[in-house]
């Protein structure tokens, strides 16, 4: 649910030591999927392009370099069936539309650099979202079972959305963590900026390893 922004990453304090646990980048599931997808698509396209260039340069022999992109059988099949190229064109169009839709979806999750705290006939007060993200992140890690957090602000200046990625220690009560976010952290953030309509999306996860401790 959470997708990144002007990030504020914090690690929860270590129990009984008074020193912070090492800061760890907590990447939400959607961000991770986007990154993996982009890497895979990029590698496939890069590999295909390199192979085509090498084949065209004659590295694999003159026969392959001079070979048509479509073989004789494919050309004959296409010539005998009038539906072939329309189907190919439709499939390419669907892929293009999917790509455009994905890009539009990414654009809609654009990060906000500032939002209006007040906006009336006298004027408006613009707040840096990085300050809001840092304050909310600090409030989140006040919960002793929270291992790492990531806070971003998205949407539009007059309709912002807080996106919170919270990772709790192994064995923590996730329901209690969510209740703490909804009943303590979010109301405080809304009161602080005077925006009771401030929306929020919460991504909860559990740390795979044991809580970090300093002995």
């Amino acid at each position: 649910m959470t997708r990144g922004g002007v990030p504020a990453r914090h690690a929860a304090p270590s129990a009984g030591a008074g020193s912070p646990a090492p800061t760890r980048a907590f990447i939400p599931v959607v961000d991770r999927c986007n990154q993996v997808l982009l890497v895979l698509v990029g590698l496939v396209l890069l590999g295909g392009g390199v192979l085509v260039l090498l084949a065209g340069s004659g590295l694999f022999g003159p026969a392959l370099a001079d070979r048509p992109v479509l073989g004789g059988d494919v050309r004959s099949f296409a010539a005998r069936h009038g539906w072939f190229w329309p189907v190919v064109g439709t499939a390419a169009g669907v892929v293009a539309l999917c790509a455009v839709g994905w890009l539009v979806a990414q654009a809609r999750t654009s990060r906000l650099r500032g939002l209006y705290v007040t906006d009336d006939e006298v004027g408006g007060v613009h707040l840096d979202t990085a300050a809001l993200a840092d304050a909310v992140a600090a409030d989140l890690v006040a919960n002793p079972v929270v291992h790492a957090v990531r806070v971003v602000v998205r949407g539009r200046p007059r309709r912002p959305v807080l996106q919170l990625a919270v990772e709790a220690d192994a064995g923590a009560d996730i329901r209690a963590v969510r209740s703490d976010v909804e009943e303590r952290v979010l109301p405080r953030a809304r009161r602080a900026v005077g925006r009771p309509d401030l929306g929020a999306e919460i991504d909860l996860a559990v740390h795979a390893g044991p809580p970090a401790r300093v002995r």
Side-chain angles (χ1 to χ4, degrees):
M1 287 188 298
T2 314
R3 286 170 282 217
V6 182
R9 295 188 181 100
H10 296 257
S14 300
S19 59
T23 302
R24 194 179 63 80
F26 176 34
I27 303 177
V29 176
V30 174
D31 278 351
R32 191 177 298 114
C33 290
N34 282 342
Q35 292 172 2
V36 171
L37 179 61
L38 285 174
V39 169
L40 291 178
V41 171
L43 289 176
V44 170
L45 294 177
L46 177 63
V50 170
L51 288 176
V52 170
L53 289 174
L54 293 177
S57 66
L59 182 65
F60 302 124
L64 184 59
D66 298 333
R67 183 178 177 181
V69 175
L70 296 179
D73 292 341
V74 176
R75 295 198 302 271
S76 298
F77 182 85
R80 293 194 308 268
H81 300 84
W83 53 263
F84 180 81
W85 289 117
V87 169
V88 172
T90 300
V94 170
V95 172
L97 287 176
C98 290
V100 171
W102 185 82
L103 289 175
V104 170
Q106 301 308 304
R108 288 178 177 173
T109 62
S110 58
R111 303 173 183 180
L112 270 182
R113 295 189 179 276
L115 59 87
Y116 290 98
V117 177
T118 61
D119 187 20
D120 52 31
E121 63 278 0
V122 177
V125 176
H126 213 237
L127 173 68
D128 184 359
T129 55
L132 175 60
D134 287 341
V136 173
D139 214 6
L140 287 169
V141 297
N143 188 332
V145 302
V146 171
H147 180 77
V149 302
R150 187 169 185 240
V151 181
V152 298
V153 184
R154 295 190 180 277
R156 291 175 291 178
R158 290 177 174 81
R159 297 190 65 182
V161 176
L162 267 179
Q163 294 186 329
L164 315 175
V166 182
E167 186 177 58
D169 288 337
D173 185 345
I174 291 296
R175 292 183 178 178
V177 174
R178 184 180 182 90
S179 296
D180 180 64
V181 173
E182 294 177 340
E183 298 173 8
R184 180 181 65 86
V185 177
L186 289 179
R188 283 168 59 91
R190 288 165 177 156
R191 287 195 301 270
V193 297
R195 297 291 298 267
D197 61 337
L198 180 63
E201 295 178 3
I202 307 171
D203 186 6
L204 296 175
V206 176
H207 180 46
R213 295 289 182 266
V214 178
R215 296 180 180 178

